[in-house]
Amino acid sequence: MPATETRSTQTSLEDRLGRWVRRYLHGFWGMFVLFVLKQGWACLFGGLLLGAILASHYLWSPDWPIYRYDALFIFALVTQALFLLCGLETRQEAMIILVFHLTGTAMEWFKVSAGSWAYPEPGFFKLMHVPLFSGFMYASVGSYMARVIRVFDMSFVPYPRFALSLTLALAIYANFFTHHFLPDLRWGLVLATLVLYGRCWIRYRIVGAHFWRMRLPLAAFFSSIALWVAENIGTFTGTWLYAHRHFTWVVHPQKLVSWYLLLYVAFITVTLLLRPDRATTDRA
């Protein structure tokens, strides 16, 4: 499907959604509902994968001829293909999913080998004790980031110099590995995000020509809460298990810091691949 046709399909679907909501709701509540719906639309890939994890937990039988992990992997592949065929994602957004799948899988291999968490169920599509569907869980974060920028017509003002952003992303990603045998720098990295992006406003449009604003670190914090809730669904269903769980299946709230930092890796990777002009012309 040509890029222009894909863009037209996406715009048509989103415009119909907006018109339907505004027909029945007006003022603040209409804007709020539309904001929530557009957020859900942006995280559609991750939402479908999370729904498959939850549904398979209740429906799957160990007697079935295919393992649950393998079914989730096939589901993720088919979903990705359908997104491309139906014009719900561009090829650039699919490339982001591929990058996050690779970097996420690499992190999973290391973390599982280090004993941070484990995948207890068997699977054919399982490499180094890590099921291949797990990479799509990271990929869904990149998918959300790319889609939410497009759906809300976001711009970032002032956008920090890209060399500094890239350095920060590499440092965050490296710390996920090195903190196992070197001092953990996560709080220093959190401070670095506030210094580098504290002045950066996200300008976004819900509908019409009016733009709203939110500080980028605040948006990252809210998004990290959503990811933490999603992670709790994974542990509740036993899809993965942490080595040290403080509250039965409930993930410790300190994981919010990890998700907050990972979101910056996602954001900077999206900018690296898409490099929208509006995100590179306004510099600090």
Side-chain angles (χ1 to χ4, degrees):
M1 181 178 291
T4 53
E5 186 179 346
T6 300
R7 179 74 64 181
S8 176
T9 302
Q10 294 165 334
T11 303
S12 176
L13 287 169
E14 291 153 13
D15 284 347
R16 288 202 299 270
L17 173 65
R19 286 196 297 269
W20 182 83
V21 172
R22 290 158 61 197
R23 187 181 307 148
Y24 298 100
L25 292 172
H26 306 280
F28 170 80
W29 288 110
M31 284 291 185
F32 178 76
V33 171
L34 188 56
F35 175 84
V36 173
L37 289 176
K38 291 182 79 169
Q39 285 285 346
W41 182 251
C43 67
L44 182 61
F45 185 90
L48 290 173
L49 184 57
L50 196 63
I53 289 173
L54 190 59
S56 63
H57 168 69
Y58 288 105
L59 299 177
W60 215 260
S61 170
D63 298 328
W64 289 0
I66 184 172
Y67 296 120
R68 184 168 79 103
Y69 286 167
D70 295 337
L72 289 172
F73 176 62
I74 294 170
F75 175 85
L77 284 176
V78 171
T79 301
Q80 176 62 82
L82 288 175
F83 268 46
L84 287 171
L85 289 174
C86 297
L88 297 180
E89 269 179 356
T90 66
R91 292 180 181 178
Q92 286 179 315
E93 290 167 350
M95 183 61 67
I96 291 168
I97 286 182
L98 175 61
V99 171
F100 269 78
H101 194 133
L102 296 175
T103 56
T105 300
M107 187 185 299
E108 288 290 314
W109 285 334
F110 179 84
K111 292 291 188 179
V112 168
S113 66
S116 297
W117 57 78
Y119 292 89
E121 299 179 28
F124 178 78
F125 295 107
K126 200 172 182 181
L127 187 61
M128 297 171 60
H129 307 291
V130 175
L132 296 186
F133 86 86
S134 65
F136 281 102
M137 296 187 296
Y138 291 88
S140 65
V141 179
S143 173
Y144 165 76
M145 196 67 67
R147 286 166 59 83
V148 80
I149 289 173
R150 173 176 52 79
V151 168
F152 284 93
D153 192 21
M154 289 182 175
S155 59
F156 308 93
V157 183
Y159 188 79
R161 294 196 175 277
F162 192 75
L164 295 177
S165 295
L166 184 58
T167 301
L168 176 61
L170 292 173
I172 292 172
Y173 187 72
N175 188 68
F176 284 123
F177 296 84
T178 60
H179 81 85
H180 286 272
F181 45 86
L182 292 174
D184 191 351
L185 304 178
R186 70 180 62 197
W187 289 110
L189 292 168
V190 169
L191 179 60
T193 65
L194 297 177
V195 171
L196 190 60
Y197 289 100
R199 295 176 53 241
C200 183
W201 288 93
I202 301 176
R203 296 178 68 250
Y204 61 97
R205 182 169 59 88
I206 300 177
V207 67
H210 179 70
F211 278 84
W212 304 62
R213 297 200 307 168
M214 180 180 291
R215 292 285 189 182
L216 195 149
L218 182 61
F221 173 71
F222 287 148
S223 298
S224 68
I225 295 175
L227 290 174
W228 179 79
V229 171
E231 188 178 19
N232 275 276
I233 292 176
T235 54
F236 171 74
T237 58
T239 306
W240 59 87
L241 300 174
Y242 280 97
H244 303 289
R245 291 176 296 169
H246 297 274
F247 307 107
T248 62
W249 55 267
V250 178
V251 180
H252 196 281
Q254 70 182 10
K255 287 286 291 182
L256 283 167
V257 180
S258 298
W259 284 118
Y260 172 85
L261 291 172
L262 186 67
L263 281 164
Y264 282 92
V265 179
F267 171 68
I268 295 164
T269 302
V270 167
T271 309
L272 176 65
L273 291 177
L274 300 183
R275 297 303 294 268
D277 290 340
R278 61 177 178 267
T280 57
T281 54
D282 296 305
R283 296 192 181 277

